[in-house]
Amino acid sequence: MKPTLFFDETTPAEYPVLGGKGASLASMSAARLPVPVGFCVTTHAYSAFLHASDLFDTILGLVNGIDCTDIAGLDRQSAAIRQLLLDKPLPADVDAAIRASYRKLCSMAGMDADLPVAVRSSATAEDLPDASFAGQQDTYLWVVGEDEVIDHVRRCWASLYTSRAINYRRNQGIPEDDVLMCVVVQKMVNARTAGVAMTLNPTNGDRSKIVIDASWGLGEAVVSGEVTPDHFLVDKVMLEIVKATIHVKTIEHVPDRINRRVLTREVEAGRAEKPSLTEEEVKAVCRIAKTIEKHYGCPQDIEWALDADLPAGQNFTLLQSRPETVWSQKKTTQTPIKTGMEGILSTLMNPLASKR
């Protein structure tokens, strides 16, 4: 198995070595959905790193010996494990493969070198039907250059052993030797607006609705809760906005091209109060969201962005899609019941609802 695989060259049989996020991006790329180009540093590369460095048994023993009720001890052991990973060099073949893939990605994006990329963790236990690892491991934005990509791949591997991630797996009963890490390296999107879309209403499980949260700049401000995003409740059948709540969005994350980083800046007063999406853009997000839900056959939690470097109508990009993990697990008796035409339309649009 190759240490790296590009999204568009990966077969479904190889998805297990890409982790949750990587497999989703590869699957959506195969379906010709608008995913920014990129590649995965597979779990085989991570496994080769662990075994070449004789780290696997050492780390497994350290993690299994942690008492998660001892917060100070957990933090000390977590930091020690991560430092072990950060200090070890990559195997020569893995290092060479990542560098070669990054150079190819630069060429695919029309650049000779130094393409800004997002380096994103993708654990194998990510997005299980009964557990979501969202936010448990690290993502790094606006990473530039081969050496920086190598460094941030290693940082993503190390983030598998933060105190929070170790404690989460312990509480979920996920064995440590079952968890491996893939890392996604993907062309950075210069987001004008970004956010999340749920193909059901997360407040009540209503699958006849789509809910969108959006704000200016990169989506990290929305995902991290740094801003109160604009909120749109949309009828999934008619694509009509049922309710729009526009908030004052005081900050945004934007690229600092000169210093090769992402910075946080204040949004000027006039724009802070304006909707971050037009009505037509809301509908465009919903159309893609419906397509993704159909592609996967179940409700989805989608991260998306509108690329400021692309023309209107061609600027929608998909950053991630994972199964919705709360209402999808509830029994039919817990799902809102609709009557009349609304119920008929909801059933037609949601054929899986009657099979749960």
Side-chain angles (χ1 to χ4, degrees):
M1 176 68 70
K2 297 178 181 178
T4 62
L5 288 169
F6 277 82
F7 300 159
D8 60 358
E9 69 181 18
T10 306
T11 65
E14 294 166 318
Y15 289 173
V17 302
L18 306 185
K21 187 181 289 95
S24 173
L25 291 166
S27 176
M28 291 189 295
S29 295
R32 300 189 180 279
L33 291 167
V35 175
V37 290
F39 65 91
C40 292
V41 182
T42 70
T43 58
H44 284 294
Y46 176 63
S47 181
F49 168 69
L50 289 181
H51 288 91
S53 306
D54 296 324
L55 284 176
F56 181 78
D57 290 335
T58 300
I59 290 175
L60 192 61
L62 288 172
V63 173
N64 288 337
I66 291 175
D67 176 4
C68 287
T69 64
D70 176 6
I71 303 302
L74 170 61
D75 288 343
R76 284 195 303 271
Q77 290 290 73
S78 166
I81 293 169
R82 284 181 279 125
Q83 197 59 51
L84 286 174
L85 290 163
L86 293 173
D87 287 344
K88 293 291 185 180
L90 274 62
D93 59 333
V94 174
D95 185 284
I98 295 172
R99 292 177 186 275
S101 293
Y102 176 68
R103 290 194 292 269
K104 179 180 176 181
L105 183 60
C106 291
S107 178
M108 291 169 66
M111 295 182 64
D112 294 332
D114 290 347
L115 173 72
V117 294
V119 182
R120 313 170 68 191
S121 301
S122 179
T124 54
E126 205 173 49
D127 304 331
L128 295 171
D130 56 352
S132 177
F133 271 55
Q136 293 296 322
Q137 280 83 51
D138 288 346
T139 287
Y140 299 94
L141 305 177
W142 214 262
V143 177
V144 180
E146 292 179 25
D147 291 341
E148 286 297 304
V149 169
I150 294 290
D151 178 58
H152 285 83
V153 166
R154 189 188 283 106
R155 291 191 197 186
C156 284
W157 287 342
S159 74
L160 198 57
Y161 297 100
T162 62
S163 297
R164 182 173 61 165
I166 293 170
N167 187 58
Y168 182 87
R169 292 194 296 273
R170 183 71 59 81
N171 289 337
Q172 293 290 329
I174 299 171
E176 287 294 328
D177 52 0
D178 284 353
V179 181
L180 292 170
M181 177 72 82
C182 166
V183 178
V184 170
V185 180
Q186 187 175 26
K187 178 182 179 293
M188 189 70 204
V189 174
N190 179 20
R192 185 211 82 193
T193 299
V196 297
M198 301 279 286
T199 62
L200 51 64
N201 187 339
T203 62
N204 60 12
D206 183 356
R207 294 184 60 177
S208 72
K209 301 294 187 294
I210 294 173
V211 169
I212 298 171
D213 287 330
S215 190
W216 300 116
L218 298 167
E220 276 57 37
V222 175
V223 174
S224 66
E226 293 175 89
V227 299
T228 302
D230 296 335
H231 184 81
F232 302 91
L233 178 65
V234 184
D235 184 278
K236 190 185 289 185
V237 179
M238 305 305 294
L239 294 186
E240 293 179 350
I241 299 175
V242 177
K243 183 179 181 181
T245 306
I246 308 303
H247 292 102
V248 178
K249 302 162 290 294
T250 56
I251 65 165
E252 63 180 342
H253 295 298
V254 295
D256 178 353
R257 295 177 185 271
I258 295 176
N259 295 305
R260 296 183 173 185
R261 60 179 182 145
V262 171
L263 58 84
T264 303
R265 72 180 181 192
E266 292 186 3
V267 179
E268 60 273 21
R271 184 161 60 95
E273 300 172 357
K274 291 183 178 179
S276 54
L277 290 173
T278 66
E279 182 177 351
E280 186 50 47
E281 287 170 342
V282 169
K283 292 181 179 180
V285 172
C286 289
R287 291 188 191 101
I288 293 289
K290 288 172 64 173
T291 300
I292 297 169
E293 182 180 59
K294 183 177 180 181
H295 174 68
Y296 285 110
C298 64
Q300 295 290 300
D301 176 359
I302 301 160
E303 295 180 25
W304 54 270
L306 298 183
D307 194 331
D309 296 333
L310 297 176
Q314 303 174 36
N315 57 350
F316 182 89
T317 56
L318 284 169
L319 305 178
Q320 185 173 349
S321 187
R322 63 176 73 89
E324 189 277 336
T325 57
V326 177
W327 290 97
S328 298
Q329 301 305 309
K330 293 184 181 293
K331 298 178 180 179
T332 305
T333 55
Q334 295 174 291
T335 302
I337 299 173
K338 300 180 179 61
T339 58
M341 184 56 70
E342 185 183 9
I344 294 171
L345 290 174
S346 179
T347 301
L348 289 173
M349 291 303 298
N350 302 286
L352 295 179
S354 61
K355 299 178 183 180
R356 288 184 296 179

